[in-house]
Every structure is written in structure tokens, then in C-alpha cells.
Amino acid sequence: MGLNYSADLILLELTFISGRPRETRLGLLKALNDGVVSAAGVSPDDLFILIHEIPGENVSFGRGLAQRARRIPDTESAAAYAHRA
């Protein structure tokens, strides 16, 4: 891939609920690289980012409830839901 990692390599792992468009995720990768590289003073090659997307029903923000579990009525498409999320 033509990258040159150094001893300053940063591994940044993000986990969030799935549903964001591809363009949003790609923009996030670029924005994070720009911001972290600037703030930490490292090479752009030294930021390794992993995005983990998980279904909302796999997350509880407390009380053992899956507050972000998808509840899509049969008449609504998943694409329309993802656009609102």
C-alpha cells in the first residue's frame, strides 16, 4: 500500500451503530486523519483507523435496553430509515 509506519503508529478503533452512508464513513476517515495527524504531530501514514459497525440491537446505553434497536414498519424501506439515522 506504500505506507511507512514508524514507532509513532496510532491505532484508532471506532465502534458505532450501522446505517451511515459510505460517503459519510469515507469522509470521517479523512477528517480523523487530518485532525489527529495535526494534533499529534505524526505522519499521515502513522494513523491506522478501524471502523466497526454493529446493529443497534447489540448496544445498550444503560438499563439493559437496546435503545437504538431498529423498529422499521413493514411499509418503510431500510434505506429511508438509514437516511434519517
Side-chain angles (χ1 to χ4, degrees), residues 40-81:
V42 298
S43 163
D45 286 359
D46 278 331
L47 181 59
F48 188 109
I49 305 170
L50 293 168
I51 294 177
H52 304 278
E53 289 188 285
I54 60 174
E57 62 266 16
N58 290 356
V59 178
S60 174
F61 292 100
R63 301 182 183 168
L65 302 174
Q67 291 90 345
R68 294 295 185 153
R70 290 187 176 190
R71 294 179 183 94
I72 304 172
D74 293 341
T75 58
E76 183 178 4
S77 72
Y81 177 86

Side-chain angles (χ1 to χ4, degrees), residues 3-83:
L3 300 169
N4 296 304
Y5 299 125
S6 77
D8 294 330
L9 179 67
I10 297 170
L11 172 60
L12 177 61
E13 291 188 72
L14 306 169
T15 302
F16 50 80
I17 296 170
S18 60
R20 288 163 184 79
R22 178 178 189 265
E23 295 77 22
T24 300
R25 294 188 314 271
L26 293 175
L28 176 62
L29 291 172
K30 179 66 174 139
L32 284 169
N33 191 273
D34 292 347
V36 172
V37 163
S38 176
V42 298
S43 163
D45 286 359
D46 278 331
L47 181 59
F48 188 109
I49 305 170
L50 293 168
I51 294 177
H52 304 278
E53 289 188 285
I54 60 174
E57 62 266 16
N58 290 356
V59 178
S60 174
F61 292 100
R63 301 182 183 168
L65 302 174
Q67 291 90 345
R68 294 295 185 153
R70 290 187 176 190
R71 294 179 183 94
I72 304 172
D74 293 341
T75 58
E76 183 178 4
S77 72
Y81 177 86
H83 185 266

